[in-house]
Amino acid sequence: MSPAFVLRLISFRLSSYAAARVTNENPSITDLSDQNRPTKISERYSELYDNHWTDAFQNLQDKHHLSETKAIEFLLDVLYVSFDECKKARSKREKAIEALNEYIGADGDDAQDLTVLEVMKTLKGTRKRNIKRMQKIFKETVEKKLKKRTNYTQERLQDIKPYLNECVELCFLMNIQEPPLELRGIMYTASMPFDASAFQPYTKSGKKIDYVVWPAMHLHRDGPLLCRGIAQGMPD
């Protein structure tokens, strides 16, 4: 092997490492060929509220005689449980990176770090090919978890099944992004300031939030807004 070839090989690997470093977990670089990229997920998230949420809300009121606020609370809880359960996909990835780093001994050495990035890229491709199978597993897990809760009867869950399924699918996609997408609204409580840049009023506006109807979606934690949420304003 000639010295010139070795130098070219080293240069190629270092260039690959630099490129991988730039694109890895960089939310500002988007793969436009990915049908599950953040902008597409945010579009589906908005459609979920406009379509499946509305149908499920109507079913809970008409068939199960839930009040407006109870129906909203029910559907919001389904979304939160789905998101929380799908976070396991995120934590599994983080544990895989940690295990690889320990196994390979990556500690800043370019060749070792590149090996980790290459392995993770391969795993990411495999994960994308198995999205439907993984979503099915998470749907079953979320449904089992919800059935253990008070008022989450089989009949009620069946009447909101399209909404539940779409919640899990989107929450799974949110959590396997690099970095993961975030929902804003989980920590919101009554009397907190109404952030009009992130939420639009449900039926009432106000300077403070009465309750959240639909969380806002962000590109990552504390990141740019992808989709405004919905919140009920508290009358002044």
Side-chain angles (χ1 to χ4, degrees):
M1 188 179 295
S2 69
F5 177 79
V6 172
L7 286 174
R8 285 198 300 271
L9 180 61
I10 293 173
S11 176
F12 172 76
R13 283 186 64 81
L14 288 177
S15 296
S16 299
Y17 172 72
R21 275 293 191 192
V22 170
T23 57
N24 186 52
E25 297 194 4
N26 189 339
S28 62
I29 297 178
T30 303
D31 180 4
L32 297 179
S33 65
D34 186 359
Q35 291 302 307
N36 293 318
R37 60 187 183 274
T39 51
K40 291 293 185 182
I41 295 173
S42 69
E43 289 172 10
R44 283 181 63 181
Y45 183 70
S46 179
E47 291 169 359
L48 171 59
Y49 177 78
D50 292 336
N51 300 316
H52 292 313
W53 185 95
T54 302
D55 292 340
F57 177 78
Q58 203 66 49
N59 279 339
L60 290 175
Q61 284 201 303
D62 294 346
K63 293 184 180 181
H64 302 279
H65 311 294
L66 266 65
S67 67
E68 181 180 45
T69 54
K70 285 297 183 182
I72 289 172
E73 184 181 311
F74 189 99
L75 295 175
L76 190 60
D77 193 42
V78 169
L79 178 65
Y80 286 163
V81 170
S82 299
F83 190 79
D84 188 60
E85 191 64 31
C86 289
K87 275 187 177 181
K88 291 178 181 178
R90 182 192 309 191
S91 62
K92 284 180 181 179
R93 177 187 174 278
E94 292 169 351
K95 288 178 181 177
I97 294 175
E98 184 180 345
L100 274 171
N101 281 323
E102 290 179 359
Y103 180 74
I104 295 173
D107 56 2
D109 178 84
D110 287 349
Q112 290 173 318
D113 285 354
L114 177 57
T115 301
V116 173
L117 291 173
E118 287 173 336
V119 171
M120 292 311 300
K121 184 177 180 180
T122 301
L123 291 176
K124 182 179 177 182
T126 303
R127 182 181 61 192
K128 284 185 176 181
R129 290 192 295 272
N130 291 296
I131 279 177
K132 291 298 181 184
R133 182 179 64 83
M134 293 302 297
Q135 285 175 331
K136 183 176 183 294
I137 293 172
F138 275 96
K139 284 176 187 176
E140 293 170 352
T141 304
V142 169
E143 192 163 351
K144 286 179 182 177
K145 194 168 185 177
L146 288 171
K147 284 178 181 177
K148 295 179 181 178
R149 296 192 171 205
T150 306
N151 297 326
Y152 282 79
T153 63
Q154 178 63 40
E155 187 180 2
R156 282 185 181 178
L157 290 175
Q158 190 60 41
D159 284 336
I160 65 161
K161 199 66 178 288
Y163 170 77
L164 171 60
N165 287 343
E166 186 69 358
C167 276
V168 178
E169 287 189 17
L170 287 180
C171 287
F172 179 80
L173 293 174
M174 288 179 214
N175 278 286
I176 65 171
Q177 298 302 306
E178 299 173 3
L181 306 186
E182 287 291 336
L183 295 182
R184 180 182 174 192
I186 295 175
M187 300 304 295
Y188 269 69
T189 55
S191 299
M192 291 185 72
F194 195 112
D195 184 354
S197 65
F199 293 92
Q200 62 187 61
Y202 179 54
T203 60
K204 298 176 184 177
S205 58
K207 293 182 180 179
K208 295 183 179 180
I209 284 180
D210 190 358
Y211 54 86
V212 171
V213 176
W214 194 244
M217 177 189 287
H218 290 259
L219 185 58
H220 52 83
R221 181 171 294 178
D222 301 322
L225 181 72
L226 284 175
C227 183
R228 287 176 76 195
I230 313 257
Q232 186 75 314
M234 186 179 290
D236 299 334

